[in-house]
Amino acid sequence: MSFPDPDRTPLRRLFLHFMATETQPILNTPLLASHEQLGAKLVPFAGWRMPLDYGSILGESRAVRSGAGVFDVSHMARFLFRGPDVAAQLDHALGGSILDQPVGKARYTMILQEDGGILDDLITYRTAADEIFMVVNASNRHRDWDLLMERLPAVECADLTEDGGGILALQGPDSKRILAELSGVSDFCPEFLDLGELPSEWGDLFIARTGYTGEHGYEIFVSAEQIVPVWSKLLALGAAPVGLGARDVLRLEAALPLYGHEIHETITPFDVNLRFAIKGWKTRTFIGGDALRAIKDVERELIGFTATQRVPREGYPVFCDGAEVGVICSGVFSATLEHPIATALVKKGCEGSFTVDFRGKQLPVERTATPFVPHRSRA
């Protein structure tokens, strides 16, 4: 099988999409002033001005693993769907089953093309029998919205992304203590993916026991009136401010896929160990389902590498016993393990000595099991 030139792949198209987005008026989250006061390095990302770090990507990563950190992820797109048939409509429009998603639970799933390729990954939140909230990637906000409008003609839909509120992701082993001190409630969201409400002096807070770091944590959905005081209170209670740089390190340590890297429209869920996100795919009727059921043999697989010399970067070719077999999807220096880690999409069944082409220089890498750092999100 062949692996295309990285400059001609969807990854390159995603980069060009970001560049095109940045020519438009850039958006700011309601926490811009706070980020500036904290000394954040602000960078354009998917049409938003976002904090890359507050001084140390590795230090912020370690703060989340050892204590707690809070991310401003208000750039993520937030959609709301209502109607008596909303679950059935979304069950057909999305890759994963929605009809059997209980009220009070979140679920990770995807939007697929007819050919089974991944257009985006997302989380649905079943807030009522006739209401489902959804968070999708910021870079895909407008495409996802237009596509869902086509697929959901009989559902009441609203894009809440620019309503002045946002999302705060509180992650790390101290996150439950901090939320308990903020709310005065100690018994909340006992199970992973639970939804709930917590009281605060600024009104009830909608929370989900979710996140993208592999740590025990929560996502807090806040209104325009709540976002600044809640953020400030979380910092006062001991959460470290954390930027997008550490978020990428943490999610890769946990081997969680990122759109445009491990997943994109020429990748199916079967290629990258995400069958669980397509619940009921064998029997359900949904867009992309026929294509997935027609797949007989999966030719590629997503694997993990560790390195000792340099970080394998996205797009670098991967070789096994001298033959090119794949490409690096993501690579970082792990703050927890203190050495480089990477994911790669390679020809399935490769065995032998792996190397990565670092701009013309072949350096060894070692295949390793993923996640690189054990998950504690369910603990």
Side-chain angles (χ1 to χ4, degrees):
M1 64 183 301
S2 63
F3 290 84
D5 181 341
D7 284 344
R8 300 183 182 276
T9 65
L11 305 185
R12 176 63 175 170
R13 293 199 296 275
L14 179 66
F15 170 76
L16 293 174
H17 169 71
F18 281 163
M19 293 300 291
T21 300
E22 305 314 341
T23 65
Q24 304 300 316
I26 197 160
L27 299 171
N28 296 311
T29 81
L31 295 175
L32 175 63
S34 179
H35 297 319
E36 291 175 332
Q37 291 168 4
L38 291 167
K41 179 181 180 181
L42 295 164
V43 297
F45 179 77
W48 294 76
R49 184 178 287 106
M50 297 298 296
L52 178 67
D53 64 75
Y54 299 85
S56 172
I57 290 174
L58 297 184
E60 292 161 30
S61 302
R62 295 181 181 117
V64 172
R65 294 278 184 235
S66 63
V70 59
F71 307 77
D72 177 12
V73 288
S74 303
H75 65 303
M76 300 290 284
R78 294 172 282 127
F79 302 155
L80 184 65
F81 304 95
R82 288 184 177 137
D85 199 34
V86 64
Q89 293 280 329
L90 279 170
D91 195 89
H92 180 262
L94 302 178
S97 175
I98 303 300
L99 277 169
D100 65 350
Q101 181 175 347
V103 173
K105 281 286 189 179
R107 178 166 287 176
Y108 175 78
T109 186
M110 299 174 177
I111 304 175
L112 301 180
Q113 297 179 142
E114 289 283 2
D115 65 2
I118 301 170
L119 286 169
D120 206 1
D121 62 340
L122 56 97
I123 296 181
T124 56
Y125 306 76
R126 189 80 182 266
T127 49
D130 61 350
E131 181 180 271
I132 292 175
F133 184 60
M134 180 187 295
V135 174
V136 308
N137 285 298
S139 61
N140 294 329
R141 171 189 171 188
H142 299 294
R143 183 182 71 177
D144 288 356
W145 177 258
D146 291 343
L147 188 62
L148 289 168
M149 292 306 93
E150 293 177 9
R151 296 184 181 183
L152 303 169
V155 173
E156 178 186 347
C157 310
D159 181 350
L160 308 179
T161 311
E162 296 181 53
D163 66 357
I167 311 172
L168 306 178
L170 179 66
Q171 301 285 294
D174 284 348
S175 58
K176 184 174 183 180
R177 173 193 62 79
I178 289 173
L179 271 188
E181 291 184 17
L182 181 145
S183 65
V185 177
S186 59
D187 183 20
F188 54 88
C189 291
E191 302 294 334
F192 183 56
L193 301 179
D194 274 357
L195 309 180
E197 287 191 347
L198 283 179
S200 79
E201 59 185 290
W202 308 281
D204 288 347
L205 303 173
F206 172 48
I207 63 168
R209 191 170 155 189
T210 50
Y212 226 58
T213 63
E215 289 295 330
H216 184 110
Y218 307 87
E219 289 175 310
I220 310 167
F221 299 87
V222 281
S223 68
E225 296 74 27
Q226 294 171 329
I227 186 168
V228 172
V230 171
W231 165 268
S232 299
K233 186 65 172 182
L234 293 173
L235 296 180
L237 291 171
V242 187
L244 294 180
R247 180 177 168 87
D248 193 46
V249 171
L250 294 162
R251 72 92 191 165
L252 189 55
E253 289 181 342
L256 298 171
L258 181 64
Y259 180 81
H261 297 262
E262 286 75 21
I263 55 177
H264 48 74
E265 62 263 35
T266 66
I267 299 295
T268 76
F270 297 173
D271 294 324
V272 287
N273 311 320
L274 292 175
R275 287 177 187 254
F276 75 91
I278 312 299
K279 193 171 184 289
W281 66 271
K282 291 183 179 180
T283 57
R284 287 175 45 241
T285 300
F286 63 97
I287 295 173
D290 288 343
L292 295 183
R293 287 185 286 271
I295 295 173
K296 302 303 181 185
D297 297 304
V298 178
E299 297 182 341
R300 302 177 288 187
E301 61 181 334
L302 187 68
I303 64 174
F305 287 133
T306 59
T308 58
Q309 298 182 46
R310 291 151 79 178
V311 175
R313 296 298 185 185
E314 175 193 348
Y316 285 7
V318 176
F319 293 78
C320 183
D321 289 341
E324 187 171 353
V325 295
V327 65
I328 296 294
C329 300
S330 297
V332 298
F333 185 87
S334 168
T336 304
L337 303 175
E338 297 187 337
H339 59 67
I341 60 173
T343 56
L345 188 66
V346 302
K347 182 178 178 180
K348 191 173 183 181
C350 292
E351 295 183 4
S353 298
F354 285 94
T355 58
V356 171
D357 186 336
F358 287 78
R359 298 182 179 179
K361 185 176 182 179
Q362 296 276 331
L363 294 177
V365 291
E366 183 175 347
R367 182 172 179 172
T368 188
T370 56
F372 301 96
V373 174
H375 284 200
R376 296 192 290 187
S377 54
R378 298 179 184 272

